[in-house]
Amino acid sequence: MIMNKEYDFNNIIAHFLIDGELLDCERYGEGHINDTFRITVGQGEKSVHYILQRINHRLFTDVDKLMHNIGLVTEFCRNSVEREGGDPMRECLNIVRTREGKAYYFDGSNYFRVYVFIENATTHQTVRHSRDFYESAVAFGKFVRLLADFDASQLYELLPGFHNTKVRYADFLRAVEKDSCNRRAEIAGEIDWVIAHKDLCGRIVDKLDSGEIPFRVTHNDTKLNNVMLDDATGKGIAVIDLDTVMPGSLCYDFGDSIRFGCSSAAEDEPDLSKVFFRYELYETYLRGYLHAVGDCITKEELENLPIGAIVITYECGMRFLTDYLEGDIYFRTTRPKQNLDRARTQFKLVEDMLLVFDKMCKTVEEVCHVTGAREQSILSA
Ligand code: ADP
Ligand code: GN1
Ligand code: MG
């Protein structure tokens, strides 16, 4: 029988449309939110892998709605991939249903779901070569293209205000005020820094509210480790981790990839002298992204890509700092002060990007000329 101290995997797996004997189950990946396992099932001579996840239902309190969203998006992606002549079993997430036809199983205390395992592909925690980053940009750009005609109003907004930076700022101020863990004094410098940069909060949100930038279906968590790169060809094949697919701004999705991938160091690097913004990777990502989105991007979105990168990095740092103030209750941590280190790396990256902001905008124009993305609108702007 395969169990760990928390879960009886044999019993869980028995509820899904999976044939064969459970041979192995190991913790998998480095996500901050769900508990992810790779399970191995013996089917005759061969063994087959699946991804099993215990859904974080403290965050996603309505699992029915969560899986409704993921079901719709994966089905739409599958159809788009088929139309483009791709392989829907490798280029999208595929839900394995329960024997009752449901997209998840509830064992009385936890919710579980299973995905088809995408074989011979890997997610990366850092950019090893710029080629990886380019390919991840192509995959995220393709995700925009595949979902360009998706009707976002079909989706539940599961985490309202998820990337509403003004709401995040208000949450931060509340956490500072409450200081529930007596950590405020120790991080006075970081708190002052966030407040000094508060003008960043509205730079995207206000444009969404005024309609200048469109709401569209966005992924909302476009880190490098949420895209799978093919082991043989190095190509970005599938965008995964669809929990946060909701209406949002493409500028934030673009920006979140820049935030994570253009850092010279890990998100939680404690030594800030190792953390800097890698400009050449920003250029690389832009080229791949604009090439893949083609003309599915508006002129206003294009113009706001650089500020999107800065604001989402600011927002993410603020979320880490808020969690630190609240006692590390949201992001998974494996050591003390990890959330504080994460916050500090984000603030360092914001400072670096602010210094080169004008250049970042110029690069967008230059890359547009090369890729032809929205060339007409940029030229006539
Ligand atoms: P979290 O929300 O906690 O980040 P993810 O859905 O991103 O969880 O999954 C965590 C990791 O598991 C991923 O980074 C990836 O390495 C792996 N993974 C997830 N889904 C699949 C899949 N369908 N096939 C192969 N690996 C997967
Ligand atoms: C979380 O689940 P994961 O590790 O891909 C978080 C993102 C943050 C990210 C920071 C649902 O993403 O919003 O940007 O950590 N996901 C959720 O690394 O809050
Ligand atoms: Mg993830």
Side-chain angles (χ1 to χ4, degrees), residues 80-292:
S80 302
V81 166
E82 269 171 6
R83 249 196 327 276
E84 289 195 355
D87 175 356
M89 293 312 280
R90 262 172 82 67
E91 293 173 40
C92 325
L93 276 181
N94 285 275
I95 298 171
V96 177
R97 293 195 172 261
T98 67
R99 297 192 182 275
E100 284 138 26
K102 290 185 75 170
Y104 64 89
Y105 163 65
F106 179 55
D107 73 355
S109 37
N110 285 300
Y111 295 82
F112 296 91
R113 70 178 164 215
V114 173
Y115 289 122
V116 169
F117 191 88
I118 301 170
E119 293 286 357
N120 305 316
T122 311
T123 52
H124 298 281
Q125 299 305 322
T126 51
V127 175
R128 300 166 310 165
H129 320 288
S130 62
R131 162 103 204 280
D132 286 353
F133 201 41
Y134 180 87
E135 293 300 342
S136 77
V138 172
F140 280 121
K142 177 174 157 190
F143 187 76
V144 173
R145 210 176 65 226
L146 293 176
L147 288 170
D149 296 327
F150 183 86
D151 174 8
S153 69
Q154 303 173 84
L155 296 179
Y156 294 107
E157 199 187 350
L158 291 172
L159 306 172
F162 187 64
H163 283 322
N164 184 326
T165 315
K166 286 177 157 178
V167 170
R168 295 292 188 181
Y169 184 70
D171 293 345
F172 161 74
L173 289 183
R174 249 193 317 276
V176 172
E177 185 61 33
K178 200 164 169 208
D179 193 21
S180 57
C181 299
N182 290 315
R183 292 178 171 178
R184 184 170 60 194
E186 170 208 352
I187 57 167
E190 284 77 10
I191 293 172
D192 287 349
W193 187 94
V194 171
I195 294 171
H197 290 81
K198 71 170 191 293
D199 286 352
L200 289 173
C201 293
R203 294 289 294 272
I204 295 291
V205 172
D206 290 347
K207 289 175 188 141
L208 279 170
D209 286 346
S210 70
E212 191 182 323
I213 302 177
F215 273 103
R216 54 162 90 222
V217 198
T218 46
H219 183 278
N220 294 306
D221 190 5
T222 50
K223 297 197 290 193
L224 182 68
N225 65 11
N226 284 331
V227 62
M228 307 218 54
L229 302 187
D230 188 282
D231 292 339
T233 64
K235 294 223 174 289
I237 46 170
V239 169
I240 60 168
D241 200 350
L242 302 178
D243 290 333
T244 49
V245 170
M246 283 179 289
S249 170
L250 174 150
C251 304
Y252 277 157
D253 266 8
F254 169 84
D256 207 25
S257 300
I258 298 301
R259 170 189 82 72
F260 190 81
C262 296
S263 174
S264 59
E267 194 175 59
D268 61 351
E269 171 60 55
D271 179 356
L272 280 189
S273 71
K274 293 186 181 154
V275 182
F276 56 90
F277 181 63
R278 294 183 58 189
Y279 199 89
E280 79 288 2
L281 288 180
Y282 165 74
E283 224 168 325
T284 300
Y285 193 90
L286 253 182
R287 275 194 289 110
Y289 194 74
L290 294 188
H291 171 73

Side-chain angles (χ1 to χ4, degrees), residues 55-70:
I55 298 168
N56 180 333
H57 70 271
R58 196 174 50 79
L59 175 60
F60 297 104
T61 49
D62 194 330
V63 176
D64 244 342
K65 289 185 176 161
L66 170 73
M67 295 313 292
H68 163 93
N69 279 2
I70 296 179

Side-chain angles (χ1 to χ4, degrees), residues 291-302:
H291 171 73
V293 293
D295 58 8
C296 296
I297 186 168
T298 70
K299 169 177 163 289
E300 290 74 20
E301 284 173 324
L302 266 177

